Amino acid sequence: MNSTQELLGQRIAEKTARVGVIGLGYVGLPLLHAFIKAGFGTLGYDIDQAKVDQLLQGQSYIAHIPSDWITDWLAAQQFTATADMKRLQEADALLICVPTPLNESRDPDLSCIESTARHIAAALRPGQLVVLESTTYPGTTREVVLPILASSGLTVGEDYFLAFSPEREDPGNPDFSASRIPKVVGGLDPASRDLAVALYSPAVVKTIPVSSCEVAEACKILENTYRSVNIAMVNELKVLFTRLEIDIWEVIEAAKTKPFGFQAFYPGPGLGGHCIPIDPFYLSWLARRHEMPTRFIELAGEINASMPLYVVEQVMEALNDMGKPVRGSRIGILGAAYKKDVDDPRESPAFRLMELLIQRGAIISYNDPHIPVLPSMRHYRVPRLASEPLTAEYLAAQDCLVVATDHSAYDWEFIAKHARLIVDTRNATKQVAHKVKNFRKA
Ligand SMILES: NC(=O)c1ccc[n+]([C@@H]2O[C@H](COP(=O)([O-])OP(=O)(O)OC[C@H]3O[C@@H](n4cnc5c(N)ncnc54)[C@H](O)[C@@H]3O)[C@@H](O)[C@H]2O)c1
């Protein structure tokens, strides 16, 4: 163990090490919370000055993250935020939580990781630990981040340390806050891994050291591919069972009683969120470079992407049963977020649903208690509508209500009472479906 490693290890053990989190979004803020609760001083970095300003005023900009957290952090003097990347020198550990989207051709877009790495390289000093947390393909830490950091002239494993630890945040899940989720840690070398394990250990319930950054990177992609493939499978079975007049939801509840060998996944209107629709394509891109197709990933993507069209067909049939064409019908979408109780619209299938219905001449409106105005989306042509208040009049004025997201805030009894037709993609109305005039699961 060299003296740089020893000194940093000591600062971590004494909790005098300052933890820097780069990218203050859905992942970065809960991570800061975990370190602050563990007693560390922190520094948050984001290129978005508006977010930094809001945090410094004690305000959260994410619905399920209370502003009280931020005011407590500030009051305890354990947190400050900055958009000035020259201050990257001030932190002993730098945890990178920046976006990893797909580009227009659905290939990995690592530009945020690369620019963050360049900022770090410009500020890097001996005794710093850098950990990439953003989801990405195996090899990113070694092949993309390391060469950029090497331009600082410092030596990894001696002067500074580099690791990968995938973020497993499940936004809005009250049972699993960041500190309750075990963390997998892979280092570029043993010293880096040991320091990263030492850093995370007081902040999270369990750390799982693995033999390399690549294993840790692949672990995250495996987890998300597993979800994508299994969701696709139940989505396909939903379409089949609906034809067979078997309720997929009842089937899943029954299958869940098997105490081993089965994990429940649920169908829906398509895939949403920052992770599941995107991350598997990081792996298929890498596989293509190694001249290997990833058929499971491609097939799951194909099935999941076809679900909004399936839902639209169900809406058209349900309207048809009532003697109405979709053209000119008023259709209210309930829920625009990609999953319940969050305010995150990224990749939400509700947007594709709206787009498809608009293309067919429907008059679209929506309600989402967490999304007051629809953001403009890169990939979807949907007007920037405002959320409609869920009044009896609004509900009764819709020819069809499509349940796209099953937010807990919805009063299904009230909605069922006033709706003319409900098409439910989430089994949200299971207790009240019999009270709706016209009803269809989709
Ligand atoms: N949201 C999730 O549920 C979730 C779960 C697990 C993993 N992840 C992964 O975590 C990463 C971050 O996701 P997120 O949901 O927190 O994204 P986000 O968009 O909520 O937050 C990212 C933040 O990074 C900032 N940023 C962008 N480029 C930057 C740069 N160069 N320097 C500094 N800040 C920069 C943005 O302004 C934003 O505030 C992604 O790789 C994602 O796949 C997300």
Side-chain angles (χ1 to χ4, degrees):
M1 190 185 292
N2 73 14
S3 61
T4 315
Q5 181 189 355
E6 202 172 333
L7 203 62
L8 181 56
Q10 203 177 332
R11 288 174 66 75
I12 289 171
E14 290 165 356
K15 296 188 183 172
T16 50
R18 198 166 184 201
V19 179
V21 171
I22 309 170
L24 305 174
Y26 286 85
V27 161
L29 292 180
L31 189 66
L32 278 166
H33 194 55
F35 277 102
I36 288 169
K37 273 200 306 181
F40 286 91
T42 67
L43 180 47
Y45 302 88
D46 204 291
I47 46 167
D48 186 341
Q49 183 68 49
K51 283 186 180 169
V52 168
D53 292 344
Q54 265 184 279
L55 291 172
L56 292 176
Q57 284 159 23
Q59 286 164 10
S60 165
Y61 34 76
I62 294 178
H64 64 274
I65 294 179
S67 291
D68 285 357
W69 278 15
I70 326 288
T71 48
D72 288 352
W73 302 350
L74 291 166
Q77 297 188 332
Q78 279 178 277
F79 170 73
T80 188
T82 182
D84 178 2
M85 298 300 158
K86 289 193 204 79
R87 293 187 63 187
L88 287 165
Q89 282 199 335
E90 292 178 30
D92 299 289
L94 291 167
L95 314 182
I96 307 173
C97 307
V98 297
T100 42
L102 296 173
N103 64 19
E104 287 300 329
S105 19
R106 298 196 74 71
D107 289 338
D109 173 359
L110 293 186
S111 55
C112 294
I113 291 185
E114 287 164 351
S115 74
T116 302
R118 282 194 292 272
H119 283 302
I120 295 175
L124 198 64
R125 59 164 170 82
Q128 281 184 309
L129 166 67
V130 179
V131 186
L132 180 61
E133 294 225 1
S134 302
T135 308
T136 182
Y137 58 81
T140 307
T141 310
R142 193 181 304 273
E143 289 156 23
V144 178
V145 177
L146 178 63
I148 299 174
L149 298 189
S151 68
S152 65
L154 298 179
T155 305
V156 71
E158 287 179 23
D159 303 323
Y160 74 99
F161 305 91
L162 179 60
F164 182 87
S165 179
E167 186 48 58
R168 290 167 151 173
E169 182 67 13
D170 185 12
N173 183 338
D175 298 329
F176 287 101
S177 56
S179 59
R180 296 202 52 205
I181 304 173
K183 224 150 176 1
V184 170
V185 183
L188 205 82
D189 47 66
S192 297
R193 184 199 53 214
D194 293 350
L195 283 168
V197 167
L199 179 75
Y200 286 111
S201 292
V204 301
V205 61
K206 190 177 180 191
T207 46
I208 301 103
V210 292
S211 63
S212 65
C213 292
E214 286 76 8
V215 170
E217 289 161 334
C219 167
K220 173 69 186 180
I221 299 255
L222 166 65
E223 291 164 14
N224 284 354
T225 304
Y226 170 77
R227 285 189 63 73
S228 169
V229 167
N230 281 284
I231 292 168
M233 184 189 67
V234 288
N235 275 333
E236 184 169 70
L237 291 184
K238 171 177 78 169
V239 177
L240 172 64
F241 288 175
T242 304
R243 258 185 223 181
L244 301 176
E245 296 185 13
I246 298 169
D247 184 341
I248 179 91
W249 298 92
E250 195 182 345
V251 174
I252 295 170
E253 285 313 300
K256 256 168 68 179
T257 60
K258 184 177 176 183
F260 49 86
F262 180 83
Q263 191 191 346
F265 286 86
Y266 297 95
L271 276 189
H274 190 309
C275 299
I276 320 283
I278 291 175
D279 302 344
F281 292 99
Y282 268 62
L283 195 55
S284 53
W285 173 84
L286 184 64
R288 279 201 305 280
R289 290 178 75 197
H290 290 264
E291 294 174 23
M292 192 190 140
T294 44
R295 284 169 290 170
F296 269 109
I297 293 176
E298 300 298 336
L299 181 60
E302 202 180 296
I303 293 173
N304 289 327
S306 73
M307 294 320 291
L309 188 58
Y310 170 76
V311 174
V312 166
E313 283 163 6
Q314 296 299 305
V315 170
M316 286 163 70
E317 281 194 27
L319 284 168
N320 188 51
D321 288 348
M322 295 167 65
K324 287 182 189 164
V326 73
R327 184 168 297 283
S329 284
R330 292 184 184 280
I331 300 181
I333 307 290
L334 299 185
Y338 79 90
K339 71 169 185 176
K340 76 189 287 181
D341 303 340
V342 300
D343 62 351
D344 189 348
R346 286 178 288 181
E347 305 291 324
S348 172
F351 288 83
R352 181 69 182 139
L353 273 179
M354 290 189 219
E355 189 177 60
L356 289 168
L357 289 165
I358 289 168
Q359 282 167 4
R360 284 157 180 75
I363 302 161
I364 293 295
S365 57
Y366 88 103
N367 168 276
D368 191 310
H370 306 293
I371 301 184
V373 178
L374 293 183
S376 58
M377 302 291 270
R378 249 194 320 166
H379 303 297
Y380 304 112
R381 263 183 245 116
V382 173
R384 297 204 63 200
L385 301 170
S387 174
E388 298 285 339
L390 267 200
T391 60
E393 294 70 33
Y394 170 75
L395 294 168
Q398 304 310 305
D399 296 299
C400 177
L401 291 163
V402 180
V403 180
T405 314
D406 49 345
H407 289 308
S408 309
Y410 284 135
D411 179 347
W412 298 114
E413 194 74 46
F414 179 76
I415 291 168
K417 187 170 164 202
H418 298 287
R420 287 197 253 164
L421 162 65
I422 292 182
V423 175
D424 183 356
T425 70
R426 300 280 191 181
N427 204 29
T429 51
K430 56 180 178 290
Q431 308 295 353
V432 298
H434 60 285
K435 299 183 184 174
V436 186
K437 280 187 210 128
N438 296 285
F439 176 77
R440 181 179 281 251
K441 283 186 187 175

PDB file of all heavy atoms in Angstrom, residues 85-86 88-89 115-125 128 148-149 151-152:
ATOM      1  N   MET A  85     -16.565  23.440 -12.436  1.00  0.00           N
ATOM      2  CA  MET A  85     -15.848  22.154 -12.450  1.00  0.00           C
ATOM      3  C   MET A  85     -14.388  22.292 -12.005  1.00  0.00           C
ATOM      4  O   MET A  85     -13.722  21.287 -11.779  1.00  0.00           O
ATOM      5  CB  MET A  85     -15.938  21.501 -13.832  1.00  0.00           C
ATOM      6  CG  MET A  85     -17.364  21.181 -14.250  1.00  0.00           C
ATOM      7  SD  MET A  85     -18.201  20.041 -13.107  1.00  0.00           S
ATOM      8  CE  MET A  85     -19.920  20.393 -13.445  1.00  0.00           C
ATOM      9  N   LYS A  86     -13.912  23.534 -11.854  1.00  0.00           N
ATOM     10  CA  LYS A  86     -12.548  23.693 -11.306  1.00  0.00           C
ATOM     11  C   LYS A  86     -12.526  23.228  -9.858  1.00  0.00           C
ATOM     12  O   LYS A  86     -11.490  22.833  -9.331  1.00  0.00           O
ATOM     13  CB  LYS A  86     -12.107  25.154 -11.389  1.00  0.00           C
ATOM     14  CG  LYS A  86     -11.839  25.608 -12.811  1.00  0.00           C
ATOM     15  CD  LYS A  86     -11.118  26.947 -12.826  1.00  0.00           C
ATOM     16  CE  LYS A  86     -11.346  27.672 -14.132  1.00  0.00           C
ATOM     17  NZ  LYS A  86     -12.666  28.342 -14.225  1.00  0.00           N
ATOM     18  N   LEU A  88     -13.608  20.571  -8.770  1.00  0.00           N
ATOM     19  CA  LEU A  88     -13.511  19.102  -8.658  1.00  0.00           C
ATOM     20  C   LEU A  88     -12.315  18.683  -7.795  1.00  0.00           C
ATOM     21  O   LEU A  88     -12.298  17.596  -7.245  1.00  0.00           O
ATOM     22  CB  LEU A  88     -13.415  18.472 -10.061  1.00  0.00           C
ATOM     23  CG  LEU A  88     -14.726  18.484 -10.858  1.00  0.00           C
ATOM     24  CD1 LEU A  88     -14.473  18.194 -12.336  1.00  0.00           C
ATOM     25  CD2 LEU A  88     -15.712  17.470 -10.293  1.00  0.00           C
ATOM     26  N   GLN A  89     -11.338  19.555  -7.683  1.00  0.00           N
ATOM     27  CA  GLN A  89     -10.169  19.275  -6.834  1.00  0.00           C
ATOM     28  C   GLN A  89     -10.528  19.153  -5.366  1.00  0.00           C
ATOM     29  O   GLN A  89      -9.829  18.506  -4.603  1.00  0.00           O
ATOM     30  CB  GLN A  89      -9.182  20.436  -6.953  1.00  0.00           C
ATOM     31  CG  GLN A  89      -8.385  20.400  -8.213  1.00  0.00           C
ATOM     32  CD  GLN A  89      -7.136  21.258  -8.095  1.00  0.00           C
ATOM     33  OE1 GLN A  89      -7.116  22.173  -7.304  1.00  0.00           O
ATOM     34  NE2 GLN A  89      -6.134  20.930  -8.882  1.00  0.00           N
ATOM     35  N   SER A 115     -17.161  14.274 -21.277  1.00  0.00           N
ATOM     36  CA  SER A 115     -16.877  15.663 -20.895  1.00  0.00           C
ATOM     37  C   SER A 115     -16.604  15.750 -19.396  1.00  0.00           C
ATOM     38  O   SER A 115     -15.755  16.522 -18.946  1.00  0.00           O
ATOM     39  CB  SER A 115     -17.990  16.612 -21.344  1.00  0.00           C
ATOM     40  OG  SER A 115     -19.113  16.451 -20.544  1.00  0.00           O
ATOM     41  N   THR A 116     -17.314  14.899 -18.619  1.00  0.00           N
ATOM     42  CA  THR A 116     -17.037  14.881 -17.172  1.00  0.00           C
ATOM     43  C   THR A 116     -15.607  14.413 -16.926  1.00  0.00           C
ATOM     44  O   THR A 116     -14.880  15.000 -16.102  1.00  0.00           O
ATOM     45  CB  THR A 116     -18.030  13.929 -16.453  1.00  0.00           C
ATOM     46  OG1 THR A 116     -19.346  14.384 -16.720  1.00  0.00           O
ATOM     47  CG2 THR A 116     -17.798  13.909 -14.958  1.00  0.00           C
ATOM     48  N   ALA A 117     -15.197  13.371 -17.639  1.00  0.00           N
ATOM     49  CA  ALA A 117     -13.826  12.854 -17.453  1.00  0.00           C
ATOM     50  C   ALA A 117     -12.800  13.942 -17.822  1.00  0.00           C
ATOM     51  O   ALA A 117     -11.763  14.074 -17.149  1.00  0.00           O
ATOM     52  CB  ALA A 117     -13.626  11.603 -18.293  1.00  0.00           C
ATOM     53  N   ARG A 118     -13.100  14.715 -18.870  1.00  0.00           N
ATOM     54  CA  ARG A 118     -12.153  15.797 -19.245  1.00  0.00           C
ATOM     55  C   ARG A 118     -12.059  16.846 -18.140  1.00  0.00           C
ATOM     56  O   ARG A 118     -10.969  17.331 -17.814  1.00  0.00           O
ATOM     57  CB  ARG A 118     -12.572  16.433 -20.580  1.00  0.00           C
ATOM     58  CG  ARG A 118     -12.175  15.577 -21.794  1.00  0.00           C
ATOM     59  CD  ARG A 118     -12.287  16.363 -23.091  1.00  0.00           C
ATOM     60  NE  ARG A 118     -13.665  16.669 -23.415  1.00  0.00           N
ATOM     61  CZ  ARG A 118     -14.480  15.865 -24.112  1.00  0.00           C
ATOM     62  NH1 ARG A 118     -14.023  14.703 -24.563  1.00  0.00           N
ATOM     63  NH2 ARG A 118     -15.715  16.207 -24.354  1.00  0.00           N
ATOM     64  N   HIS A 119     -13.229  17.189 -17.566  1.00  0.00           N
ATOM     65  CA  HIS A 119     -13.215  18.148 -16.444  1.00  0.00           C
ATOM     66  C   HIS A 119     -12.398  17.598 -15.279  1.00  0.00           C
ATOM     67  O   HIS A 119     -11.629  18.321 -14.649  1.00  0.00           O
ATOM     68  CB  HIS A 119     -14.642  18.432 -15.963  1.00  0.00           C
ATOM     69  CG  HIS A 119     -15.407  19.358 -16.849  1.00  0.00           C
ATOM     70  ND1 HIS A 119     -14.982  20.624 -17.149  1.00  0.00           N
ATOM     71  CD2 HIS A 119     -16.592  19.213 -17.487  1.00  0.00           C
ATOM     72  CE1 HIS A 119     -15.859  21.219 -17.941  1.00  0.00           C
ATOM     73  NE2 HIS A 119     -16.847  20.381 -18.171  1.00  0.00           N
ATOM     74  N   ILE A 120     -12.593  16.302 -15.005  1.00  0.00           N
ATOM     75  CA  ILE A 120     -11.854  15.707 -13.871  1.00  0.00           C
ATOM     76  C   ILE A 120     -10.357  15.713 -14.179  1.00  0.00           C
ATOM     77  O   ILE A 120      -9.537  16.089 -13.323  1.00  0.00           O
ATOM     78  CB  ILE A 120     -12.347  14.269 -13.577  1.00  0.00           C
ATOM     79  CG1 ILE A 120     -13.800  14.286 -13.097  1.00  0.00           C
ATOM     80  CG2 ILE A 120     -11.454  13.603 -12.515  1.00  0.00           C
ATOM     81  CD1 ILE A 120     -14.415  12.905 -12.895  1.00  0.00           C
ATOM     82  N   ALA A 121      -9.999  15.327 -15.417  1.00  0.00           N
ATOM     83  CA  ALA A 121      -8.574  15.263 -15.786  1.00  0.00           C
ATOM     84  C   ALA A 121      -7.916  16.629 -15.584  1.00  0.00           C
ATOM     85  O   ALA A 121      -6.767  16.714 -15.131  1.00  0.00           O
ATOM     86  CB  ALA A 121      -8.433  14.808 -17.233  1.00  0.00           C
ATOM     87  N   ALA A 122      -8.658  17.685 -15.898  1.00  0.00           N
ATOM     88  CA  ALA A 122      -8.087  19.032 -15.775  1.00  0.00           C
ATOM     89  C   ALA A 122      -7.861  19.416 -14.320  1.00  0.00           C
ATOM     90  O   ALA A 122      -7.023  20.274 -14.019  1.00  0.00           O
ATOM     91  CB  ALA A 122      -9.012  20.047 -16.455  1.00  0.00           C
ATOM     92  N   ALA A 123      -8.633  18.786 -13.411  1.00  0.00           N
ATOM     93  CA  ALA A 123      -8.533  19.178 -11.994  1.00  0.00           C
ATOM     94  C   ALA A 123      -7.868  18.114 -11.122  1.00  0.00           C
ATOM     95  O   ALA A 123      -7.591  18.368  -9.950  1.00  0.00           O
ATOM     96  CB  ALA A 123      -9.938  19.464 -11.453  1.00  0.00           C
ATOM     97  N   LEU A 124      -7.623  16.942 -11.716  1.00  0.00           N
ATOM     98  CA  LEU A 124      -7.192  15.781 -10.917  1.00  0.00           C
ATOM     99  C   LEU A 124      -5.919  16.074 -10.105  1.00  0.00           C
ATOM    100  O   LEU A 124      -4.972  16.677 -10.608  1.00  0.00           O
ATOM    101  CB  LEU A 124      -6.934  14.596 -11.869  1.00  0.00           C
ATOM    102  CG  LEU A 124      -6.898  13.206 -11.247  1.00  0.00           C
ATOM    103  CD1 LEU A 124      -8.255  12.819 -10.645  1.00  0.00           C
ATOM    104  CD2 LEU A 124      -6.507  12.161 -12.296  1.00  0.00           C
ATOM    105  N   ARG A 125      -5.952  15.612  -8.856  1.00  0.00           N
ATOM    106  CA  ARG A 125      -4.764  15.771  -7.990  1.00  0.00           C
ATOM    107  C   ARG A 125      -4.490  14.428  -7.312  1.00  0.00           C
ATOM    108  O   ARG A 125      -5.396  13.580  -7.206  1.00  0.00           O
ATOM    109  CB  ARG A 125      -5.004  16.846  -6.933  1.00  0.00           C
ATOM    110  CG  ARG A 125      -6.182  16.533  -6.036  1.00  0.00           C
ATOM    111  CD  ARG A 125      -6.206  17.346  -4.772  1.00  0.00           C
ATOM    112  NE  ARG A 125      -7.466  17.179  -4.062  1.00  0.00           N
ATOM    113  CZ  ARG A 125      -7.757  16.167  -3.262  1.00  0.00           C
ATOM    114  NH1 ARG A 125      -6.881  15.191  -3.076  1.00  0.00           N
ATOM    115  NH2 ARG A 125      -8.930  16.095  -2.641  1.00  0.00           N
ATOM    116  N   GLN A 128      -7.073  11.285  -5.101  1.00  0.00           N
ATOM    117  CA  GLN A 128      -8.512  11.291  -5.404  1.00  0.00           C
ATOM    118  C   GLN A 128      -8.952   9.910  -5.901  1.00  0.00           C
ATOM    119  O   GLN A 128      -8.203   9.219  -6.604  1.00  0.00           O
ATOM    120  CB  GLN A 128      -8.854  12.346  -6.464  1.00  0.00           C
ATOM    121  CG  GLN A 128      -8.927  13.767  -5.882  1.00  0.00           C
ATOM    122  CD  GLN A 128      -9.360  14.799  -6.910  1.00  0.00           C
ATOM    123  OE1 GLN A 128      -8.789  14.872  -7.999  1.00  0.00           O
ATOM    124  NE2 GLN A 128     -10.353  15.600  -6.563  1.00  0.00           N
ATOM    125  N   ILE A 148      -8.712   9.296 -20.739  1.00  0.00           N
ATOM    126  CA  ILE A 148      -8.913  10.745 -20.550  1.00  0.00           C
ATOM    127  C   ILE A 148      -8.237  11.184 -19.244  1.00  0.00           C
ATOM    128  O   ILE A 148      -7.520  12.190 -19.205  1.00  0.00           O
ATOM    129  CB  ILE A 148     -10.420  11.113 -20.569  1.00  0.00           C
ATOM    130  CG1 ILE A 148     -11.045  10.742 -21.908  1.00  0.00           C
ATOM    131  CG2 ILE A 148     -10.611  12.612 -20.292  1.00  0.00           C
ATOM    132  CD1 ILE A 148     -12.546  10.933 -21.997  1.00  0.00           C
ATOM    133  N   LEU A 149      -8.428  10.386 -18.183  1.00  0.00           N
ATOM    134  CA  LEU A 149      -7.805  10.757 -16.902  1.00  0.00           C
ATOM    135  C   LEU A 149      -6.285  10.676 -16.985  1.00  0.00           C
ATOM    136  O   LEU A 149      -5.570  11.450 -16.338  1.00  0.00           O
ATOM    137  CB  LEU A 149      -8.325   9.863 -15.766  1.00  0.00           C
ATOM    138  CG  LEU A 149      -9.826   9.927 -15.469  1.00  0.00           C
ATOM    139  CD1 LEU A 149     -10.152   9.174 -14.190  1.00  0.00           C
ATOM    140  CD2 LEU A 149     -10.337  11.367 -15.347  1.00  0.00           C
ATOM    141  N   SER A 151      -4.490  11.637 -19.266  1.00  0.00           N
ATOM    142  CA  SER A 151      -3.943  12.864 -19.854  1.00  0.00           C
ATOM    143  C   SER A 151      -3.531  13.858 -18.765  1.00  0.00           C
ATOM    144  O   SER A 151      -2.856  14.851 -19.040  1.00  0.00           O
ATOM    145  CB  SER A 151      -4.950  13.502 -20.816  1.00  0.00           C
ATOM    146  OG  SER A 151      -6.050  13.996 -20.080  1.00  0.00           O
ATOM    147  N   SER A 152      -3.943  13.592 -17.512  1.00  0.00           N
ATOM    148  CA  SER A 152      -3.529  14.473 -16.404  1.00  0.00           C
ATOM    149  C   SER A 152      -2.049  14.270 -16.073  1.00  0.00           C
ATOM    150  O   SER A 152      -1.457  15.082 -15.358  1.00  0.00           O
ATOM    151  CB  SER A 152      -4.364  14.150 -15.156  1.00  0.00           C
ATOM    152  OG  SER A 152      -4.046  12.822 -14.726  1.00  0.00           O
TER     153      SER A 152
END
